[in-house]
Amino acid sequence: MSLHDDAVLVLKDHQGQDELRQVYLDHLAAHPDGMWKICGAGHVTASALVVDPSRERVLLTLHKKMRMWLQMGGHCEPGDGTLARAALREATEESGIDGLALAPGGPVRLDRHHTPCAWHLDVQYAALAPAGAVEAISDESLDLRWFPYAEVSAVADESVVRLLEATLARV
């Protein structure tokens, strides 16, 4: 199964956000290259909000290009195979934490936003860090920091706050 086919199945199974979910499905139906950065009309991306083992904090990255505190995530790559693997790969690369595990139940929410490269149709997961997790800043980050849940709204935009709310409902 291709990554495109996996994305269609994941989106068809996603509960809630029906109107936005249909935008994603319509995009993929109209754009066979809609999973890839080369698709100028926008592309599906995958991300994950990393939750600490004590379930008290989340790890955010100060994104180098966007200059915003965000969850880990980005463009899908041909070797990903599934959206879940893309989200896990991005979270692992950007957090430096080995042994992350996606929360069961598939994506926690969808978020469509414009970036300098194009529209991102982000499929957002929650990732659980293992005990003893130690983060490491990647080349894509200016900073990497654990934030208690109550502090996220003071540093991040509404998209990240909504992702945190959806994540807390799942984990």
Side-chain angles (χ1 to χ4, degrees):
M1 176 184 317
S2 72
L3 183 57
H4 187 282
D5 292 342
D6 175 74
V8 169
L9 290 176
V10 167
L11 291 163
K12 284 182 177 180
D13 286 345
H14 183 69
Q15 301 298 309
Q17 297 183 274
D18 294 339
E19 188 175 316
L20 184 57
R21 182 171 56 95
Q22 193 59 52
V23 168
Y24 283 42
L25 289 167
D26 291 346
H27 174 80
L28 289 173
H31 301 281
D33 63 348
M35 295 300 301
W36 314 117
K37 188 176 180 178
I38 61 167
C39 183
H43 37 271
V44 174
T45 58
S47 67
L49 184 63
V50 177
V51 179
D52 79 330
S54 67
R55 309 289 197 275
E56 296 174 355
R57 304 174 302 165
V58 292
L59 186 64
L60 299 179
T61 179
L62 183 56
H63 196 275
K64 191 179 278 187
K65 290 182 183 174
M66 301 297 292
R67 305 243 179 227
M68 298 170 60
W69 287 103
L70 300 170
Q71 75 276 10
M72 315 303 146
H75 297 106
C76 296
E77 296 180 2
D80 288 330
T82 67
L83 276 176
R85 282 191 221 132
L88 191 57
R89 176 188 51 75
E90 285 286 338
T92 301
E93 288 174 1
E94 293 184 8
S95 71
I97 299 174
D98 289 323
L100 293 174
L102 295 182
V108 297
R109 72 181 310 275
L110 308 174
D111 186 78
R112 182 176 179 259
H113 52 272
H114 197 264
T115 70
C117 74
W119 281 99
H120 280 187
L121 289 74
D122 198 30
V123 180
Q124 301 177 323
Y125 292 80
L128 307 173
V134 178
E135 68 280 5
I137 296 175
S138 76
D139 292 341
E140 296 180 37
S141 297
L142 294 172
D143 197 2
L144 194 62
R145 192 177 311 162
W146 291 101
F147 289 95
Y149 298 154
E151 293 179 14
V152 171
S153 64
V155 298
D157 70 5
E158 278 299 309
S159 168
V160 178
V161 171
R162 287 190 301 271
L163 175 55
L164 173 61
E165 291 167 355
T167 296
L168 294 178
R170 179 73 60 87
V171 301

mmCIF file of all heavy atoms in Angstrom, residues 3-4 32-40 42-44 75-81:
data_model
loop_
_atom_site.group_PDB
_atom_site.id
_atom_site.type_symbol
_atom_site.label_atom_id
_atom_site.label_comp_id
_atom_site.label_asym_id
_atom_site.label_seq_id
_atom_site.Cartn_x
_atom_site.Cartn_y
_atom_site.Cartn_z
ATOM 1 N N LEU A 3 1.840 5.334 0.581
ATOM 2 C CA LEU A 3 1.598 6.315 1.637
ATOM 3 C C LEU A 3 0.324 7.099 1.347
ATOM 4 O O LEU A 3 -0.461 7.396 2.257
ATOM 5 C CB LEU A 3 2.806 7.254 1.760
ATOM 6 C CG LEU A 3 2.752 8.295 2.865
ATOM 7 C CD1 LEU A 3 2.550 7.657 4.234
ATOM 8 C CD2 LEU A 3 4.019 9.142 2.855
ATOM 9 N N HIS A 4 0.088 7.408 0.079
ATOM 10 C CA HIS A 4 -1.146 8.102 -0.334
ATOM 11 C C HIS A 4 -2.369 7.279 0.066
ATOM 12 O O HIS A 4 -3.321 7.812 0.655
ATOM 13 C CB HIS A 4 -1.093 8.325 -1.852
ATOM 14 C CG HIS A 4 -2.199 9.165 -2.399
ATOM 15 N ND1 HIS A 4 -3.467 8.680 -2.617
ATOM 16 C CD2 HIS A 4 -2.213 10.461 -2.786
ATOM 17 C CE1 HIS A 4 -4.225 9.637 -3.118
ATOM 18 N NE2 HIS A 4 -3.488 10.732 -3.226
ATOM 19 N N PRO A 32 -2.505 13.415 -7.009
ATOM 20 C CA PRO A 32 -1.781 12.174 -6.742
ATOM 21 C C PRO A 32 -0.452 12.413 -6.019
ATOM 22 O O PRO A 32 0.037 11.536 -5.315
ATOM 23 C CB PRO A 32 -1.539 11.585 -8.137
ATOM 24 C CG PRO A 32 -2.559 12.221 -9.016
ATOM 25 C CD PRO A 32 -2.825 13.580 -8.430
ATOM 26 N N ASP A 33 0.108 13.628 -6.168
ATOM 27 C CA ASP A 33 1.355 13.982 -5.474
ATOM 28 C C ASP A 33 1.091 14.760 -4.180
ATOM 29 O O ASP A 33 1.984 15.382 -3.629
ATOM 30 C CB ASP A 33 2.262 14.795 -6.400
ATOM 31 C CG ASP A 33 1.657 16.130 -6.829
ATOM 32 O OD1 ASP A 33 0.434 16.344 -6.602
ATOM 33 O OD2 ASP A 33 2.387 16.966 -7.399
ATOM 34 N N GLY A 34 -0.129 14.711 -3.683
ATOM 35 C CA GLY A 34 -0.545 15.503 -2.531
ATOM 36 C C GLY A 34 0.097 15.138 -1.201
ATOM 37 O O GLY A 34 -0.122 15.831 -0.203
ATOM 38 N N MET A 35 0.893 14.091 -1.185
ATOM 39 C CA MET A 35 1.622 13.716 0.027
ATOM 40 C C MET A 35 2.992 14.376 0.091
ATOM 41 O O MET A 35 3.641 14.348 1.132
ATOM 42 C CB MET A 35 1.828 12.195 0.082
ATOM 43 C CG MET A 35 0.558 11.383 0.200
ATOM 44 S SD MET A 35 -0.401 11.742 1.680
ATOM 45 C CE MET A 35 0.765 11.355 2.971
ATOM 46 N N TRP A 36 3.431 14.953 -1.007
ATOM 47 C CA TRP A 36 4.827 15.363 -1.121
ATOM 48 C C TRP A 36 4.991 16.871 -1.188
ATOM 49 O O TRP A 36 4.153 17.594 -1.720
ATOM 50 C CB TRP A 36 5.457 14.719 -2.352
ATOM 51 C CG TRP A 36 5.125 13.262 -2.455
ATOM 52 C CD1 TRP A 36 4.425 12.652 -3.450
ATOM 53 C CD2 TRP A 36 5.451 12.226 -1.519
ATOM 54 N NE1 TRP A 36 4.307 11.309 -3.192
ATOM 55 C CE2 TRP A 36 4.920 11.017 -2.011
ATOM 56 C CE3 TRP A 36 6.134 12.211 -0.304
ATOM 57 C CZ2 TRP A 36 5.054 9.806 -1.342
ATOM 58 C CZ3 TRP A 36 6.274 11.007 0.373
ATOM 59 C CH2 TRP A 36 5.739 9.825 -0.152
ATOM 60 N N LYS A 37 6.119 17.321 -0.734
ATOM 61 C CA LYS A 37 6.452 18.746 -0.696
ATOM 62 C C LYS A 37 6.385 19.380 -2.089
ATOM 63 O O LYS A 37 6.112 20.575 -2.210
ATOM 64 C CB LYS A 37 7.849 18.926 -0.092
ATOM 65 C CG LYS A 37 8.234 20.348 0.174
ATOM 66 C CD LYS A 37 9.588 20.431 0.859
ATOM 67 C CE LYS A 37 9.963 21.874 1.134
ATOM 68 N NZ LYS A 37 11.256 21.987 1.837
ATOM 69 N N ILE A 38 6.593 18.613 -3.126
ATOM 70 C CA ILE A 38 6.566 19.156 -4.491
ATOM 71 C C ILE A 38 5.175 19.603 -4.923
ATOM 72 O O ILE A 38 5.040 20.336 -5.896
ATOM 73 C CB ILE A 38 7.122 18.143 -5.520
ATOM 74 C CG1 ILE A 38 6.282 16.868 -5.528
ATOM 75 C CG2 ILE A 38 8.582 17.859 -5.280
ATOM 76 C CD1 ILE A 38 6.539 15.948 -6.708
ATOM 77 N N CYS A 39 4.134 19.181 -4.220
ATOM 78 C CA CYS A 39 2.771 19.551 -4.589
ATOM 79 C C CYS A 39 2.522 20.997 -4.155
ATOM 80 O O CYS A 39 2.315 21.282 -2.979
ATOM 81 C CB CYS A 39 1.753 18.609 -3.953
ATOM 82 S SG CYS A 39 0.047 18.962 -4.457
ATOM 83 N N GLY A 40 2.547 21.902 -5.122
ATOM 84 C CA GLY A 40 2.408 23.326 -4.838
ATOM 85 C C GLY A 40 1.048 23.728 -4.314
ATOM 86 O O GLY A 40 0.898 24.787 -3.695
ATOM 87 N N GLY A 42 -0.395 22.336 -1.973
ATOM 88 C CA GLY A 42 -0.413 21.935 -0.567
ATOM 89 C C GLY A 42 -0.084 20.465 -0.460
ATOM 90 O O GLY A 42 -0.120 19.736 -1.453
ATOM 91 N N HIS A 43 0.249 20.045 0.738
ATOM 92 C CA HIS A 43 0.601 18.638 0.918
ATOM 93 C C HIS A 43 0.314 18.191 2.347
ATOM 94 O O HIS A 43 0.290 18.984 3.283
ATOM 95 C CB HIS A 43 2.062 18.370 0.551
ATOM 96 C CG HIS A 43 3.000 19.463 0.933
ATOM 97 N ND1 HIS A 43 3.282 20.523 0.085
ATOM 98 C CD2 HIS A 43 3.714 19.695 2.048
ATOM 99 C CE1 HIS A 43 4.131 21.346 0.678
ATOM 100 N NE2 HIS A 43 4.410 20.864 1.874
ATOM 101 N N VAL A 44 0.075 16.895 2.468
ATOM 102 C CA VAL A 44 -0.173 16.288 3.772
ATOM 103 C C VAL A 44 1.148 16.214 4.523
ATOM 104 O O VAL A 44 2.184 15.838 3.952
ATOM 105 C CB VAL A 44 -0.808 14.894 3.617
ATOM 106 C CG1 VAL A 44 -0.925 14.199 4.962
ATOM 107 C CG2 VAL A 44 -2.170 15.008 2.941
ATOM 108 N N HIS A 75 7.348 17.181 6.744
ATOM 109 C CA HIS A 75 7.010 16.551 5.473
ATOM 110 C C HIS A 75 7.176 15.033 5.510
ATOM 111 O O HIS A 75 8.082 14.515 6.149
ATOM 112 C CB HIS A 75 7.888 17.125 4.360
ATOM 113 C CG HIS A 75 7.655 18.579 4.150
ATOM 114 N ND1 HIS A 75 8.551 19.539 4.555
ATOM 115 C CD2 HIS A 75 6.613 19.237 3.591
ATOM 116 C CE1 HIS A 75 8.074 20.736 4.251
ATOM 117 N NE2 HIS A 75 6.900 20.582 3.659
ATOM 118 N N CYS A 76 6.296 14.377 4.783
ATOM 119 C CA CYS A 76 6.391 12.925 4.619
ATOM 120 C C CYS A 76 7.535 12.614 3.658
ATOM 121 O O CYS A 76 7.868 13.423 2.792
ATOM 122 C CB CYS A 76 5.085 12.380 4.061
ATOM 123 S SG CYS A 76 3.671 12.601 5.178
ATOM 124 N N GLU A 77 8.113 11.441 3.826
ATOM 125 C CA GLU A 77 9.194 10.978 2.960
ATOM 126 C C GLU A 77 8.805 9.640 2.356
ATOM 127 O O GLU A 77 8.046 8.874 2.971
ATOM 128 C CB GLU A 77 10.491 10.857 3.768
ATOM 129 C CG GLU A 77 10.981 12.202 4.295
ATOM 130 C CD GLU A 77 12.269 12.106 5.101
ATOM 131 O OE1 GLU A 77 12.833 11.001 5.231
ATOM 132 O OE2 GLU A 77 12.701 13.161 5.601
ATOM 133 N N PRO A 78 9.329 9.332 1.165
ATOM 134 C CA PRO A 78 8.935 8.094 0.479
ATOM 135 C C PRO A 78 9.094 6.831 1.323
ATOM 136 O O PRO A 78 8.300 5.910 1.214
ATOM 137 C CB PRO A 78 9.849 8.059 -0.747
ATOM 138 C CG PRO A 78 10.140 9.495 -1.017
ATOM 139 C CD PRO A 78 10.226 10.148 0.342
ATOM 140 N N GLY A 79 10.075 6.772 2.189
ATOM 141 C CA GLY A 79 10.298 5.580 2.994
ATOM 142 C C GLY A 79 9.387 5.440 4.198
ATOM 143 O O GLY A 79 9.445 4.431 4.902
ATOM 144 N N ASP A 80 8.539 6.416 4.442
ATOM 145 C CA ASP A 80 7.701 6.368 5.653
ATOM 146 C C ASP A 80 6.686 5.232 5.635
ATOM 147 O O ASP A 80 6.439 4.614 6.656
ATOM 148 C CB ASP A 80 6.980 7.703 5.865
ATOM 149 C CG ASP A 80 7.918 8.814 6.309
ATOM 150 O OD1 ASP A 80 8.933 8.514 6.988
ATOM 151 O OD2 ASP A 80 7.627 9.979 5.989
ATOM 152 N N GLY A 81 6.075 4.980 4.509
ATOM 153 C CA GLY A 81 5.116 3.880 4.419
ATOM 154 C C GLY A 81 3.736 4.204 4.944
ATOM 155 O O GLY A 81 2.742 3.891 4.308
#
